Amino acid sequence: MTIAATTPLARLSEAMASDMNAVNALIRERMISENAPRIPEVTAHLIDAGGKRIRPMLTLAAARLCGYEGDAHVKLAATVEFIHTATLLHDDVVDESRQRRGRPTANLLWDNKSSVLVGDYLFARAFQLMVEPGNLRALSILSNAAAVIAEGEVLQLTAAQNIATSEATYFKVIRGKTAALFSAATQVGPVIAGSPETQVQALFDYGDALGICFQIVDDYLDYGGAGDGIGKNLGDDFRERKLTLPVIRAIAAADDAERAFWERTIARGHQEEGDLDQAMALLARHGALESTRQSALDWAGRARAALAAAPAGDLRDMLADLADFVVERVN
Amino acid sequence: MTIAATTPLARLSEAMASDMNAVNALIRERMISENAPRIPEVTAHLIDAGGKRIRPMLTLAAARLCGYEGDAHVKLAATVEFIHTATLLHDDVVDESRQRRGRPTANLLWDNKSSVLVGDYLFARAFQLMVEPGNLRALSILSNAAAVIAEGEVLQLTAAQNIATSEATYFKVIRGKTAALFSAATQVGPVIAGSPETQVQALFDYGDALGICFQIVDDYLDYGGAGDGIGKNLGDDFRERKLTLPVIRAIAAADDAERAFWERTIARGHQEEGDLDQAMALLARHGALESTRQSALDWAGRARAALAAAPAGDLRDMLADLADFVVERVN
């Protein structure tokens, strides 16, 4: 696997470069606050760290794929990135994270208060932006997504440390915290393009499956992605006692001694030196990482399949390839 | 002063009772989350504690005053209350508060994480609700208010502990954190009623002045409202080193020794036994509480005056009386 300009993500970035420049300019313009300089400081710290901007790119690509020729997609793409950035700020407070995108988190550099309030500001800016194009259905989709995201985060919070968490709950959590924004990002494209319902549904399904795939890969890498340079530390989820897919599957296959191990480390939180190695050994023993990888592949396949009902062309091919690319990180 | 059913607030509540019942039913319906039971638990704790619901009542009254006969004002009123409740949850995290409306705060009963995420959920629910009536101008007003609120909170955070804070900054802060939601609450009434711009402006001005008055009174009571039963402790702002109007005015009139006192207690935060008494003595020496009371009266007068351009009638009289009633707490 090469990570040169030949990756599907790079090709998509190239195809969307002009639109994405407009999105970036809009983000910079709207993150300014004359009254409270702390706001652009905190926001710039996160935005300059440069995520992949995959979510706004999905909005742009979905709109163009469906033949949209206006410029409202730029505002909706910036909306999506603002919602994402706001959730990152709040997530890092909730998870007490110290590193994000390879840099110290805002809650560490400033404080939790700033992260909470600047996150609120970005949420509000997102809503201002989404109102501007005046498309009520797009407004409804994006505001629903914001509610589902928050619901998923709360569900994750209450499911953490509970070793009885089922796969069904896991999928509810990741549909909320990750897939809801992906599917809203892709769905608003055909909506503002005025596309037929089959295409609106196709792009929703694509974003939903891609988002689920993306999160499963993320959860896989937390146990299996040493040194992949994503700025996340191996075992963070274990230390935070999160019930992710590999662990849920290992617990489902656990014998009594193993169950006692998970009970102690995840439910009671008594973790000792060597416990992460032991957890990894248990995942390996039950093929939990391999089966998680298979699930990611399965969802990538669903994402690709959903695109069958979308307009054919280069952009559709790139989006289809993007689904495979997301899973390549676990190969 | 009596607090029987003869107060302006009680008369307004009575006049709006049917609409307010619809708002309360909608709030209960929308605070539910099937997926994450923690959400209604936290929300109910705060909503059952029963604030005065003054903000949604303003939306209802402003709409009816302007002859509105539909039911969209119920959704917008619930939106306003959800935004308010979300900001309370986040404020209590930021201020590390332990008591709200005479009960332990959610961050104390659950944790900061739950308060942050449930606040986000309520923000998102607010945006879903405001989208439903499909009035783009109301959407714009309410989403702008949300941004101004967050901006005011961040500004307050960065101004705290800074004894050079000016009255101009103080008014920016309270316009954001308090008046923006009051003025949005009143302004959307004439907007959905399709009223002429003079009335839209009148109701905006009324809400703005009322909100400023309300916050000045709140800041006054923090130093002068012992035992008034509002569930706030005397001196909280002093302990949190907030630069409110009484303190800003006392600092402006301070001699060198007094300046050293404010420098130590507010800027450096070295507070000792007896400092609150000393602060109160300095406020009294410079008439800072009395001049703050005068400012509150002044803003109540502006609120009343703004209503001259609104349709005459019982509701207008009640809103005018409400402005005086807000200030009565400091008499």
Side-chain angles (χ1 to χ4, degrees):
Chain A
M1 168 189 152
T2 65
I3 43 166
T6 51
T7 68
L9 188 59
R11 288 203 303 282
L12 198 56
S13 294
E14 209 173 284
M16 291 294 120
S18 158
D19 282 356
M20 189 53 86
N21 285 340
V23 171
N24 287 332
L26 187 60
I27 285 175
R28 271 171 204 293
E29 179 193 318
R30 298 301 175 93
M31 75 187 198
I32 287 173
S33 157
E34 277 176 30
N35 289 325
R38 172 72 52 87
I39 290 172
E41 284 168 28
V42 172
T43 308
H45 169 72
L46 198 57
I47 289 203
D48 289 345
K52 297 172 290 298
R53 298 268 208 282
I54 191 169
R55 293 162 190 80
M57 192 141 53
L58 288 172
T59 298
L60 299 175
R64 293 300 191 201
L65 168 65
C66 294
Y68 182 67
E69 296 189 339
D71 54 12
H73 66 326
V74 169
K75 286 187 171 165
L76 298 181
T79 295
V80 164
E81 188 67 4
F82 270 149
I83 293 176
H84 177 57
T85 307
T87 61
L88 293 185
L89 281 168
H90 287 185
D91 278 0
D92 286 342
V93 170
V94 168
D95 291 343
E96 295 161 25
S97 309
R98 305 174 61 82
Q99 213 185 26
R100 161 80 64 188
R101 292 175 180 169
R103 303 171 68 173
T105 53
N107 45 312
L108 198 67
L109 285 182
W110 287 272
D111 46 32
N112 280 345
K113 301 172 183 197
S114 297
S115 292
V116 169
L117 297 177
V118 174
D120 288 349
Y121 180 75
L122 294 180
F123 266 129
R125 292 299 252 173
F127 284 104
Q128 283 181 301
L129 266 168
M130 74 171 85
V131 169
E132 291 179 20
N135 184 306
L136 286 169
R137 186 166 178 201
L139 275 167
S140 169
I141 290 166
L142 287 164
S143 59
N144 289 345
V148 174
I149 292 167
E151 208 173 14
E153 302 272 9
V154 177
L155 184 59
Q156 173 173 266
L157 184 65
T158 50
Q161 311 168 20
N162 179 3
I163 64 167
T165 301
S166 65
E167 283 201 21
T169 297
Y170 170 78
F171 279 98
K172 268 189 198 170
V173 167
I174 70 170
R175 252 209 169 92
K177 72 174 201 164
T178 308
L181 193 54
F182 274 77
S183 59
T186 49
Q187 192 185 10
V188 293
V191 163
I192 56 166
S195 305
E197 278 311 304
T198 50
Q199 293 182 17
V200 174
Q201 186 65 46
L203 268 303
F204 171 88
D205 290 342
Y206 168 77
D208 180 60
L210 187 71
I212 290 176
C213 175
F214 191 90
Q215 188 58 52
I216 293 176
V217 167
D218 221 51
D219 293 343
Y220 172 98
L221 290 175
D222 205 76
Y223 288 96
D228 73 330
I230 55 165
K232 209 178 159 184
N233 302 313
L234 197 73
D236 273 351
D237 288 345
F238 180 72
R239 279 182 288 272
E240 289 166 19
R241 301 152 70 189
K242 284 185 182 163
L243 275 290
T244 59
L245 196 54
V247 172
I248 288 170
R249 288 183 173 166
I251 290 174
D255 63 23
D256 286 353
E258 292 172 13
R259 175 163 284 275
F261 169 82
W262 296 116
E263 177 71 39
R264 171 174 64 79
T265 56
I266 301 285
R268 295 207 305 280
H270 297 159
Q271 298 190 3
E272 300 161 6
E273 189 79 28
D275 278 345
L276 178 58
D277 290 338
Q278 171 66 1
M280 308 267 275
L282 294 183
L283 299 191
R285 178 178 307 163
H286 296 294
L289 275 182
E290 175 53 25
S291 94
T292 296
R293 194 177 79 86
Q294 284 300 331
S295 294
L297 282 168
D298 178 43
W299 283 98
R302 293 196 208 190
R304 180 179 273 279
L307 290 174
D314 284 352
L315 275 175
R316 188 176 78 168
D317 296 345
M318 287 182 218
L319 288 175
D321 292 346
L322 182 65
D324 298 332
F325 178 68
V326 163
V327 185
E328 271 181 37
R329 295 196 289 160
V330 301
N331 282 335
Chain B
M1 170 188 150
T2 65
I3 41 168
T6 51
T7 67
L9 188 59
R11 289 203 302 281
L12 199 55
S13 293
E14 208 172 284
M16 292 292 121
S18 158
D19 282 357
M20 189 54 83
N21 285 341
V23 171
N24 287 332
L26 188 60
I27 286 174
R28 271 170 204 294
E29 179 194 318
R30 298 301 176 92
M31 75 186 199
I32 288 172
S33 157
E34 277 176 31
N35 289 324
R38 171 72 53 90
I39 290 173
E41 283 168 27
V42 173
T43 308
H45 169 71
L46 199 55
I47 289 202
D48 289 346
K52 296 171 292 297
R53 299 267 208 280
I54 191 168
R55 294 162 189 80
M57 192 142 52
L58 288 173
T59 298
L60 298 175
R64 293 300 191 203
L65 169 64
C66 293
Y68 182 68
E69 296 188 341
D71 55 9
H73 65 324
V74 169
K75 286 188 172 166
L76 298 181
T79 295
V80 164
E81 188 67 3
F82 270 149
I83 292 177
H84 176 57
T85 308
T87 61
L88 293 185
L89 281 168
H90 287 184
D91 278 1
D92 285 342
V93 170
V94 168
D95 292 343
E96 297 162 24
S97 308
R98 304 174 62 80
Q99 211 184 29
R100 161 81 64 187
R101 293 175 179 166
R103 302 171 68 173
T105 54
N107 44 310
L108 197 68
L109 285 182
W110 288 272
D111 47 31
N112 280 345
K113 302 171 182 197
S114 297
S115 292
V116 169
L117 296 177
V118 174
D120 288 350
Y121 180 74
L122 295 180
F123 267 129
R125 292 299 251 174
F127 283 105
Q128 283 182 302
L129 266 169
M130 75 171 86
V131 169
E132 290 178 21
N135 184 305
L136 285 169
R137 187 164 176 202
L139 276 167
S140 170
I141 290 166
L142 287 164
S143 60
N144 288 347
V148 174
I149 292 167
E151 209 174 14
E153 301 272 8
V154 178
L155 184 58
Q156 172 172 265
L157 184 66
T158 51
Q161 310 168 19
N162 178 3
I163 63 166
T165 301
S166 64
E167 283 201 20
T169 298
Y170 171 77
F171 279 99
K172 268 189 199 170
V173 167
I174 70 170
R175 249 207 173 93
K177 73 173 200 166
T178 307
L181 193 55
F182 274 77
S183 59
T186 49
Q187 192 185 10
V188 293
V191 163
I192 55 166
S195 305
E197 277 309 305
T198 49
Q199 293 183 16
V200 174
Q201 186 66 46
L203 268 304
F204 171 88
D205 290 342
Y206 169 76
D208 180 59
L210 187 71
I212 290 176
C213 175
F214 190 90
Q215 188 59 51
I216 292 176
V217 168
D218 220 51
D219 293 344
Y220 172 98
L221 290 175
D222 205 76
Y223 288 95
D228 73 330
I230 56 167
K232 210 178 158 186
N233 302 314
L234 196 73
D236 274 350
D237 289 345
F238 180 72
R239 280 182 287 271
E240 289 166 20
R241 302 150 69 191
K242 284 184 181 164
L243 274 291
T244 58
L245 197 54
V247 172
I248 288 170
R249 288 184 173 166
I251 290 174
D255 64 23
D256 287 354
E258 291 172 13
R259 175 163 285 275
F261 169 82
W262 296 116
E263 175 72 38
R264 171 174 64 79
T265 56
I266 302 287
R268 296 205 306 279
H270 298 157
Q271 298 191 2
E272 300 162 5
E273 189 79 25
D275 278 345
L276 178 59
D277 290 338
Q278 171 67 2
M280 309 266 274
L282 294 183
L283 299 191
R285 178 177 307 164
H286 297 293
L289 275 182
E290 176 53 25
S291 95
T292 296
R293 194 178 79 86
Q294 284 300 330
S295 294
L297 282 169
D298 178 44
W299 282 98
R302 293 196 207 190
R304 181 179 272 278
L307 290 174
D314 283 352
L315 276 175
R316 188 176 78 168
D317 296 343
M318 287 182 217
L319 288 175
D321 292 345
L322 182 63
D324 299 331
F325 178 68
V326 164
V327 186
E328 271 180 37
R329 293 196 290 160
V330 302
N331 282 334

